């Protein structure tokens, strides 16, 4: 018997017993752990390039989100939606978020809840204001982060446990992708602590809401080496988030010449072998060992690979990547959350645009 699968099945049974089903419309069950709650979130999808777009929701090519969008996510088989949000782009000189923007975010959250999805909102890139992880900026940035999350958490504190907060996104020193110094890691870890402490202080449902913190730059290696879980006033309510786009030249670089991946790749010039199947297993097994086995769920808050039009044969390799990567995440108890900007599901109608990709994500992500 595959012990990873049996452990996952046991978590599912326990989660169903605690919540009375996958919909989970009741308040958080007494004794429900973060691991059990995370099982209800898989698989997830991102509402990418939308509420985090600058200067407004439709600036990056996506239509305004409607109920049809969220209904489409749910109908496709997703259990949760990650909603990246920009806040200071909609704030005044004193960092006070425009009430109209707060209401719009709440409206989109309500669409998702109405569709039966678990929802995660964050503070996304938002101009990169947090990407200065040095000691000289630490105090001022923490004050600003606390002020922002006080506003967000207060506005949403009446929402039940189906709404999850994530404090930051891909924070690290601006334009620096090498491993962090201890200084940079310390400052980034302090942002996680400020976020947790601030949300808890707002009371209401926030006193025990599930919260998501991130590793440095959401890089798996940096997270394994440097991440420190924050101190929390309530036990077993924290999750860790990382992202996965390996290898970048295959997954995200639309202008690159790498279009084959994995054991079936035939052309060495079109392949990067460093992030093949063994690499996938090593990365996710390490996350399971470091976090999941210690009771901390890991969300792969963004992941994805996308066909390049100039290489028609790439689609088969993308399908292999999705199958291998998503199934490995689940074997190791991780929560996959696909990064989508409207290519997978039509945002206006909620209908699938990439049926086979969608099937592979959902079937392997359950």
């Amino acid at each position: 018997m595959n012990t990873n699968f049996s452990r996952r099945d046991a978590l599912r049974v326990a989660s169903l017993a605690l919540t009375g089903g996958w919909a989970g419309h009741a308040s958080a069950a007494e004794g429900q752990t973060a691991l059990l709650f995370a099982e209800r979130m898989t698989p997830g999808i991102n509402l990418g390039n939308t509420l985090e777009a600058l200067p407004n929701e439709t600036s990056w090519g996506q239509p305004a989100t409607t109920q049809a969008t969220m209904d489409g996510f749910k109908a496709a088989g997703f259990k949760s939606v990650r909603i990246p949000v920009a806040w200071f782009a909609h704030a005044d000189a004193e960092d006070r978020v425009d009430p109209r923007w707060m209401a719009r975010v709440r409206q989109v959250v309500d669409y998702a809840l109405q569709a039966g999805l678990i929802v995660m909102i964050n503070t996304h890139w938002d101009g990169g204001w947090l990407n200065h992880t040095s000691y000289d900026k630490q105090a001022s940035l923490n004050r600003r982060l606390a002020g922002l999350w006080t506003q967000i958490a207060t506005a949403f504190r009446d929402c039940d446990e189906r709404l999850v907060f994530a404090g930051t996104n891909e924070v690290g020193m601006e334009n620096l992708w090498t491993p962090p110094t201890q200084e940079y890691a310390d400052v980034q870890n302090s942002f996680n602590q400020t976020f947790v402490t601030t949300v808890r202080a707002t009371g209401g449902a926030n006193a025990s809401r599930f919260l998501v913190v991130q590793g440095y730059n959401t890089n798996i290696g940096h997270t394994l080496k440097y991440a420190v879980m924050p101190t929390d006033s309530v036990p077993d309510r924290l999750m860790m988030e990382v992202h996965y786009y390996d290898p970048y030249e295959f997954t995200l670089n639309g202008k690159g010449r790498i279009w084959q991946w994995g054991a079936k790749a035939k052309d060495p010039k079109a392949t990067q072998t460093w992030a093949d199947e063994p690499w996938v297993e090593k990365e996710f097994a390490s996350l399971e060992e470091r976090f999941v086995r210690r009771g901390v769920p890991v969300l792969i808050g963004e992941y994805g690979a996308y066909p390049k039009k100039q290489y028609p044969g790439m689609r088969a390799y993308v399908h292999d990547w999705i199958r291998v990567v998503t199934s490995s995440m689940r074997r190791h108890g991780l929560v996959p959350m696909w990064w989508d900007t409207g290519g997978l599901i039509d945002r206006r109608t909620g209908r699938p645009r990439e049926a086979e990709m969608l099937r592979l994500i959902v079937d392997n992500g359950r």
Side-chain angles (χ1 to χ4, degrees):
M1 177 183 291
N2 185 314
T3 56
N4 284 317
F5 276 111
S6 63
R7 170 186 49 75
R8 189 181 84 182
D9 292 341
L11 281 170
R12 286 170 179 255
V13 171
S15 183
L16 283 166
L18 282 168
T19 63
W22 293 109
H25 289 283
S27 59
E30 183 178 354
Q32 180 169 314
T33 67
L35 284 175
L36 292 175
F37 185 83
E39 281 291 304
R40 295 168 55 196
M41 297 178 67
T42 184
I45 189 171
N46 277 262
L47 187 74
N49 286 10
T50 307
L51 295 189
E52 85 279 26
L54 304 178
N56 57 59
E57 181 177 353
T58 59
S59 294
W60 292 354
Q62 298 304 311
T65 302
T66 67
Q67 187 66 56
T69 308
M70 297 302 176
D71 289 344
F73 289 169
K74 180 67 174 180
F78 292 103
K79 304 297 184 183
S80 62
V81 59
R82 178 178 182 257
I83 303 177
V85 185
W87 300 97
F88 285 146
H90 307 274
D92 63 18
E94 302 299 321
D95 284 347
R96 291 174 296 211
V97 177
D98 187 332
R100 293 169 297 181
W101 180 245
M102 193 73 77
R104 173 55 180 161
V105 177
R106 179 60 183 259
Q107 183 180 44
V108 174
V109 167
D110 287 344
Y111 289 153
L113 295 174
Q114 180 63 34
L117 296 164
I118 291 173
V119 188
M120 182 166 75
I121 61 173
N122 71 359
T123 174
H124 211 67
W125 178 67
D126 211 3
W129 64 276
L130 267 179
N131 289 335
H132 304 283
T133 51
S134 55
Y135 290 142
D136 63 319
K137 301 288 186 181
Q138 183 174 6
S140 62
L141 289 177
N142 271 303
R143 283 194 298 271
R144 199 176 188 206
L145 184 66
L148 176 60
W149 271 106
T150 296
Q151 295 178 73
I152 301 168
T154 300
F156 286 91
R157 66 182 165 197
D158 63 318
C159 287
D160 64 30
E161 93 289 352
R162 292 175 297 152
L163 177 63
V164 176
F165 295 156
T168 60
N169 182 70
E170 297 183 351
V171 168
M173 183 58 77
E174 188 74 16
N175 297 321
L176 185 65
W177 305 106
T178 55
T181 63
Q182 190 61 54
E183 174 183 3
Y184 296 167
D186 287 346
V187 174
Q188 188 268 332
N189 280 320
S190 79
F191 296 158
N192 287 334
Q193 183 63 67
T194 292
F195 160 65
V196 171
T197 301
T198 300
V199 170
R200 294 294 182 233
T202 61
N206 297 333
S208 60
R209 188 177 305 284
F210 291 101
L211 303 178
V212 180
V213 297
Q214 291 193 333
Y216 187 90
N217 267 337
T218 63
N219 175 282
I220 291 175
H222 302 343
T223 300
L224 292 169
K225 185 173 181 179
Y226 293 103
V228 176
M229 293 302 295
T231 299
D232 196 2
S233 58
V234 58
D236 216 355
R237 289 293 186 273
L238 299 183
M239 308 183 198
M240 177 58 69
E241 180 185 352
V242 295
H243 296 168
Y244 188 82
Y245 292 110
D246 291 343
Y248 166 80
E249 294 297 329
F250 174 80
T251 61
L252 288 181
N253 186 359
K255 297 181 180 179
R257 297 180 179 180
I258 301 300
W259 61 275
Q260 296 185 14
W261 177 85
K264 296 179 182 178
K266 298 178 176 62
D267 183 355
K269 294 181 180 179
T271 309
Q272 284 188 315
T273 58
W274 69 271
D276 56 8
E277 291 91 341
W279 172 266
V280 171
E281 281 295 300
K282 179 183 72 70
E283 292 287 272
F284 298 154
S286 296
L287 288 170
E288 179 184 17
E289 178 67 26
R290 171 72 166 77
F291 294 104
V292 178
R293 292 186 182 179
R294 301 180 186 183
V296 179
V298 176
L299 310 182
I300 311 297
E302 295 181 19
Y303 83 112
Y306 311 93
K308 302 171 186 177
K309 293 180 180 179
Q310 65 270 36
Y311 298 108
M314 183 178 179
R315 187 171 295 273
Y317 295 101
V318 168
H319 290 176
D320 281 345
W321 187 94
I322 293 171
R323 176 181 51 79
V324 169
V325 169
T326 309
S327 62
S328 180
M329 288 178 188
R330 293 306 297 134
R331 279 197 304 277
H332 295 292
L334 315 178
V335 177
M337 306 188 82
W338 184 261
W339 178 258
D340 181 65
T341 58
L344 192 65
I345 294 175
D346 190 303
R347 295 285 180 82
R348 291 182 173 85
T349 67
R351 296 191 184 96
R353 282 180 163 167
E354 290 279 359
E356 182 62 13
M357 288 176 63
L358 183 58
R359 183 189 68 79
L360 288 167
I361 294 164
V362 172
D363 286 356
N364 289 287
R366 297 184 191 276

